[in-house]
């Protein structure tokens, strides 16, 4: 039976690269997106043109009702979920903590942390051998920001990724006996649209010379690590992290 994978935020950047690679690895891919329907459908069309299978489903992962509906669609249209990539994430304009208001902090934590918890909850209920499932694998997309702190740029975003690191360790131990592995990747300085949301589209090129590898990263380089962690080659790995930050 073809394995079903959900990639949240699969319409652009790292999520889109992971969706394409997952399809090439033989998965039936659910490309979740928030607002950019055109981008999501383009990813689905590219996958289908290469002989793969994919559907696009809109859902704001920070909303419980949207997440429940997303998994209902997967159940009804695709079959039992085998893999989840908690990739959807946001950041906002670069600013110091002293200027951040509560509305911004709540948006960041809702999308990056609550969204990952809700999707993992729905996936665990379906994957767990304790609940009659077949097991599965989850990869959370954290960030090197959880180690580095993003001072002067977005400490709120970095802290949300710190929460994802702790979530990865805790959930991995909670479900290890239930046939589910939970790991994370910690990328940084990857060429995607996200840096424009922070107000600096050219951020990766500004920083790259200060990195040990002297270059930014590409979404496919993160996708490769995600797909390895999901694969049977990583069968004895859970609660672990792969750094993809050019040596920083
Ligand atoms: P991106 O190019 O800005 O893409 C973000 C994706 O997330 C889009 O598909 C977007 O959907 C989706 N999304 C945003 N909010 C959502 C929500 N509430 N519900 C569902 N989907 C939502 O970002 P990216 O750089 O690929 O980042 C992907 C992940 O990697 C994020 O978790 C990010 O924190 C992490 N990361 C990125 C970097 C980097 O350097 N780029 C570094 C470290 C970690 P729409 O297309 O519909 O807007």
């Amino acid at each position: 039976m073809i394995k079903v994978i959900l990639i949240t935020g699969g319409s652009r950047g790292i999520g889109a690269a992971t969706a394409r690679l997952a399809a090439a690895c033989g998965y039936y891919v659910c490309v979740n997106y928030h607002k950019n329907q055109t981008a999501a459908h383009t990813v689905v069309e590219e996958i289908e043109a290469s002989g793969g299978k994919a559907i696009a489903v809109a859902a704001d992962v920070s909303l419980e009702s949207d997440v429940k509906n997303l998994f209902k669609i997967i159940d009804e249209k695709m079959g039992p979920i085998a893999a989840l990539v908690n990739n959807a994430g946001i950041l906002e304009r670069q600013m110091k903590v002293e200027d951040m208001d509560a509305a911004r902090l709540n948006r960041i934590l809702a999308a990056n942390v609550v969204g990952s918890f809700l999707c993992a909850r729905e996936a665990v209920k379906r994957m767990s051998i304790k609940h009659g499932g077949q097991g599965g694998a989850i990869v959370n997309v954290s960030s090197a920001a959880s180690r580095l702190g993003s001072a002067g740029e977005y400490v709120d975003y970095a802290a949300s990724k710190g929460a994802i690191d702790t979530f990865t360790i805790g959930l991995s131990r909670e479900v290890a006996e239930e046939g589910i592995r939970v790991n994370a990747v910690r990328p940084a300085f990857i060429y995607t649209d996200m840096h424009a949301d922070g107000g600096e589209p050219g951020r990766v090129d500004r920083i790259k010379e200060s990195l040990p590898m002297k270059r930014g990263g590409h979404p496919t380089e993160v996708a490769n690590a995600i797909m390895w962690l999901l694969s049977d080659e990583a069968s004895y790995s859970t609660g672990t992290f792969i750094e993809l930050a050019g040596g920083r």
Side-chain angles (χ1 to χ4, degrees):
M1 194 168 55
I2 188 165
K3 280 186 165 185
V4 171
I5 185 170
L6 166 61
I7 299 165
T8 67
S11 49
R12 292 186 287 121
I14 292 167
T18 307
R20 290 188 203 97
L21 185 58
C25 293
Y27 283 90
Y28 184 6
V29 185
C30 180
V31 178
N32 158 252
Y33 65 101
H34 185 201
K35 292 181 175 156
N36 199 328
Q37 187 181 32
T38 306
H41 284 186
T42 300
V43 173
V44 169
E45 284 162 18
E46 286 168 357
I47 288 172
E48 289 175 342
S50 305
K53 284 186 78 179
I55 63 169
V57 182
D60 178 346
V61 294
S62 69
L63 299 178
E64 193 160 26
S65 54
D66 276 25
V67 172
K68 283 184 175 171
N69 188 51
L70 169 63
F71 278 81
K72 187 165 173 277
I73 291 169
I74 292 170
D75 292 341
E76 290 171 0
K77 291 196 174 172
M78 303 179 79
I81 186 168
L84 164 68
V85 183
N86 265 323
N87 167 77
I90 58 166
L91 50 70
E92 297 200 8
R93 293 271 145 174
Q94 295 173 358
M95 66 172 67
K96 296 181 93 170
V97 172
E98 65 189 36
D99 295 318
M100 292 178 186
D101 63 19
R104 167 180 166 132
L105 298 173
N106 283 320
R107 283 193 299 273
I108 294 290
L109 293 172
N112 297 359
V113 183
V114 176
S116 295
F117 268 77
L118 292 175
C119 290
R121 181 191 73 193
E122 295 303 313
V124 164
K125 281 191 210 167
R126 289 160 173 81
M127 293 173 176
S128 171
I129 55 175
K130 198 178 84 183
H131 300 308
Q134 298 290 310
I138 297 172
V139 171
N140 295 322
V141 180
S142 176
S143 170
S146 71
R147 296 184 281 109
L148 301 171
S150 304
E153 291 187 320
Y154 13 72
V155 174
D156 53 349
Y157 168 83
S160 77
K161 296 301 186 178
I164 292 300
D165 288 358
T166 308
F167 171 53
T168 302
I169 294 166
L171 182 64
S172 71
R173 293 176 183 174
E174 198 167 288
V175 299
E177 278 186 286
E178 299 176 37
I180 306 171
R181 297 184 299 103
V182 184
N183 292 289
V185 291
R186 279 200 286 241
F189 322 113
I190 310 298
Y191 289 102
T192 71
D193 300 340
M194 178 169 262
H195 306 285
D197 296 337
E200 192 187 0
R203 177 171 175 267
V204 176
D205 284 330
R206 168 175 63 82
I207 291 173
K208 68 180 182 185
E209 286 304 320
S210 71
L211 302 177
M213 290 179 77
K214 308 283 181 209
R215 69 169 179 88
H218 295 280
T220 50
E221 296 181 287
V222 185
N224 285 332
I226 292 171
M227 292 314 300
W228 182 79
L229 285 169
L230 291 176
S231 76
D232 288 343
E233 289 177 26
S235 55
Y236 200 48
S237 295
T238 199
T240 63
F241 299 83
I242 295 181
E243 308 289 342
L244 300 136
R248 176 165 289 179

